[in-house]
């Protein structure tokens, strides 16, 4: 069962890594801004194709190694987990190393051929865009925020009937495999963790809603549609993950109050369902993103281009722009959004909850 579940995770992750260059904006190639006038350069197409071939081949090779090693290490569960995670991270490392090589090549090509050097840079703005935004309002996240508070109260009221040892970790088979002596802190740790996670999810959704809607100067209407749909689907993605996380942690907390509900492998289907929702929503988001992205099929003769923001992206991956009020921006390579590390609000939305989560996890485990 563990191999089957992990194989699905591995294959989905591999597919997403392979298609990344074809999902992001066509004017962003391996983290580098390419003027619309140059995106049909033959070298760029070859780089994308080579990246896909190498990552796909290396990923398939590591997958075979993963399956064979898992069978050979059947008696050792710890070694099995180590091999599975090792192959997954190995594939991601290959992907990122190849990305970095291509990032350097595209940057050098851009400098060598002086792309955009003699083209006026313009930032397009649509004052009606906010009124057309379809992101979910904060009220949709109210239930996941309220449930952990209710669970805290419920746990206190039923504290005396909880067993002397509280489950604090569950293995891949769905069974609890680590316990802590019952205290109010250990009994309340799961609801507290849930509340912090939900605050983080709501904070991310709200920050994305407030982020800038970036348009392509030569294709305003198409890029606006792309931005509106992208924001809509990421809010649904966050909502689904939020509710899935709420259901999972609520059942785990109730299993500590009523231990009979975790006998055998009753929790395993719940873990699998959680993974299906998380990975499935990510795949759907990637598909929708590709469907609605701006396609530059026809070349244009224009003397303007979008503002080149390469100077704010470190390696094309880390965004630091203190002049941008956006807390989150779309990734230049990858699926989803990344934080503007130069915006202090991001450290409140992500940093503070993460530190508290880490501290609670350390002391509760």
């Amino acid at each position: 069962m563990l191999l089957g579940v992990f194989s699905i995770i591995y294959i989905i992750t591999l597919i997403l890594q392979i298609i990344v260059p074809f999902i992001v904006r066509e004017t962003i190639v391996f983290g580098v801004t390419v003027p619309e006038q140059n995106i049909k350069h033959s070298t760029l197409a070859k780089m994308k194709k080579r990246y896909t071939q190498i990552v796909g081949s290396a990923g398939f090779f590591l997958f075979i190694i993963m399956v064979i090693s898992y069978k050979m290490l059947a008696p050792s569960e710890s070694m099995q987990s180590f091999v599975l995670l090792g192959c997954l991270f190995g594939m991601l490392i290959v992907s990122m190393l190849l990305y970095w090589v291509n990032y350097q090549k595209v940057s050098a090509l851009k400098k060598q051929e002086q792309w955009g050097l003699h083209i006026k840079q313009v930032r397009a703005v649509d004052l009606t865009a906010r009124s057309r935004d379809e992101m979910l309002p904060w009220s949709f996240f109210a239930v996941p925020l309220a449930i952990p508070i209710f669970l805290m109260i419920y746990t206190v009221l039923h504290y005396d009937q909880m067993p002397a040892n509280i489950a604090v970790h569950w293995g891949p088979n769905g069974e609890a495999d680590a316990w802590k002596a019952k205290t109010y802190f250990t009994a309340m740790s799961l609801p507290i963790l849930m509340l912090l996670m939900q605050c983080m999810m709501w904070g991310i959704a709200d920050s994305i809603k407030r982020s800038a809607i970036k348009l392509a100067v030569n294709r305003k209407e198409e890029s606006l549609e792309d931005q509106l749909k992208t924001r809509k689907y990421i809010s649904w993605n966050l909502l689904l993950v939020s509710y899935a996380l709420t259901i999972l942690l609520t059942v785990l907390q109730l299993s500590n109050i009523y231990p009979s509900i975790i006998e055998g492998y009753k929790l395993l289907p719940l873990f699998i369902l959680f993974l299906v929702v998380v990975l499935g929503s990510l795949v759907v988001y990637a598909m929708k993103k590709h469907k609605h992205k701006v396609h530059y099929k026809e070349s244009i003769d224009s003397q303007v281009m979008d503002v080149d923001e390469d100077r704010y992206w470190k390696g094309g991956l880390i965004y630091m722009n203190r002049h941008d009020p956006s807390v989150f921006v779309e990734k230049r390579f990858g699926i989803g959004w990344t934080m503007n590390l130069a915006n202090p609000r991001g450290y409140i939305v992500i940093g503070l909850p993460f530190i508290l989560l880490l501290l609670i996890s350390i002391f509760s485990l």
Side-chain angles (χ1 to χ4, degrees):
M1 179 62 73
L2 176 61
L3 178 61
V5 172
F6 209 89
S7 295
I8 294 173
I9 296 173
Y10 183 95
I11 291 171
I12 291 177
T13 305
L14 175 59
I15 292 173
L16 292 176
Q17 289 300 310
I18 290 173
I19 65 175
V20 160
F22 306 97
I23 291 179
V24 298
R25 281 189 177 191
E26 290 187 31
T27 51
I28 302 295
V29 182
F30 292 108
V32 179
T33 299
V34 176
E36 185 177 344
Q37 294 83 348
N38 303 104
I39 61 174
K40 299 301 182 182
H41 198 289
S42 59
T43 302
L44 300 179
K46 290 177 182 177
M47 286 183 183
K48 291 181 181 180
K49 183 178 180 180
R50 193 178 301 116
Y51 168 88
T52 299
Q53 292 172 338
I54 295 176
V55 172
S57 300
F60 178 76
F61 178 71
L62 286 170
F63 179 74
I64 298 300
I65 292 178
M66 182 180 77
V67 174
I68 295 174
S69 301
Y70 182 88
K71 298 294 184 182
M72 293 174 62
L73 299 170
S76 175
E77 186 174 323
S78 60
M79 284 301 296
Q80 287 176 343
S81 301
F82 178 78
V83 167
L84 295 177
L85 288 173
C87 290
L88 176 62
F89 283 109
M91 179 264 290
L92 293 174
I93 289 172
V94 170
S95 171
M96 293 313 299
L97 286 175
L98 197 56
Y99 159 80
W100 182 253
V101 170
N102 285 316
Y103 168 78
Q104 297 290 346
K105 288 182 177 180
V106 176
S107 298
L109 182 63
K110 178 181 178 180
K111 184 177 181 180
Q112 177 185 339
E113 300 196 1
Q114 299 183 340
W115 289 348
L117 193 62
H118 306 293
I119 303 176
K120 184 179 180 181
Q121 297 182 20
V122 177
R123 191 181 303 279
V125 177
D126 187 333
L127 299 179
T128 68
R130 290 288 176 188
S131 63
R132 297 163 61 184
D133 200 352
E134 300 179 70
M135 285 195 70
L136 297 173
W138 73 269
S139 56
F140 278 69
F141 293 85
V143 172
L145 284 168
I147 286 179
I149 298 174
F150 168 79
L151 277 177
M152 291 180 197
I153 299 172
Y154 191 84
T155 300
V156 171
L157 295 176
H158 294 80
Y159 179 79
D160 292 336
Q161 75 180 66
M162 296 178 74
N165 293 311
I166 304 293
V168 294
H169 187 271
W170 289 261
N173 60 0
E175 290 187 308
D177 56 10
W179 292 264
K180 275 275 191 176
K182 182 176 73 171
T183 64
Y184 276 101
F185 178 71
T186 53
M188 300 278 283
S189 58
L190 267 180
I192 295 173
L193 287 172
M194 191 194 311
L195 180 61
L196 289 172
M197 288 180 183
Q198 299 303 347
C199 287
M200 190 185 298
M201 298 290 281
W202 170 77
I204 293 172
D206 182 68
S207 297
I208 291 177
K209 189 177 181 69
R210 296 169 184 267
S211 66
I213 298 177
K214 298 186 177 181
L215 308 181
V217 65
N218 293 312
R219 301 175 190 264
K220 296 186 184 70
E221 200 55 42
E222 299 149 270
S223 59
L224 175 58
E225 183 69 13
D226 166 52
Q227 285 284 288
L228 294 177
K229 294 299 182 184
T230 296
R231 294 158 66 89
K232 172 185 174 181
Y233 294 129
I234 194 63
S235 67
W236 275 103
N237 175 270
L238 289 169
L239 185 72
L240 286 173
V241 173
S242 178
Y243 274 84
L245 186 65
T246 298
I247 293 171
L248 175 63
L249 295 183
T250 297
V251 172
L252 293 180
Q253 179 64 9
L254 291 176
S255 71
N256 274 329
I257 301 174
Y258 306 104
S260 60
I261 71 174
I262 62 167
E263 292 177 355
Y265 296 89
K266 292 181 180 178
L267 287 179
L268 183 58
L270 184 63
F271 288 151
I272 295 175
L273 179 61
F274 175 75
L275 286 174
V276 168
V277 171
V278 173
L279 294 175
S281 62
L282 186 60
V283 170
V284 170
Y285 173 75
M287 292 171 60
K288 293 292 186 180
K289 176 65 181 170
H290 178 70
K291 177 182 177 181
H292 293 286
K293 82 168 189 174
V294 180
H295 295 281
Y296 296 83
K297 295 180 180 179
E298 299 178 358
S299 300
I300 63 163
D301 182 19
S302 175
Q303 297 305 310
V304 297
M305 62 173 283
D306 298 321
V307 175
D308 188 333
E309 296 186 333
D310 285 357
R311 62 188 180 280
Y312 299 122
W313 288 87
K314 312 304 178 184
L317 298 173
I318 300 173
Y319 185 63
M320 299 181 69
N321 183 0
R322 60 188 180 86
H323 303 295
D324 187 352
S326 301
V327 177
F328 289 92
V329 294
E330 280 193 83
K331 291 181 178 180
R332 286 196 159 194
F333 190 81
I335 298 170
W337 296 60
T338 189
M339 193 174 88
N340 178 5
L341 296 180
N343 191 322
R345 188 171 182 270
Y347 295 96
I348 299 175
V349 174
I350 295 293
L352 182 59
F354 180 78
I355 292 173
L356 293 174
L357 282 170
L358 187 62
L359 291 174
I360 293 173
S361 299
I362 291 172
F363 288 108
S364 64
L365 295 177

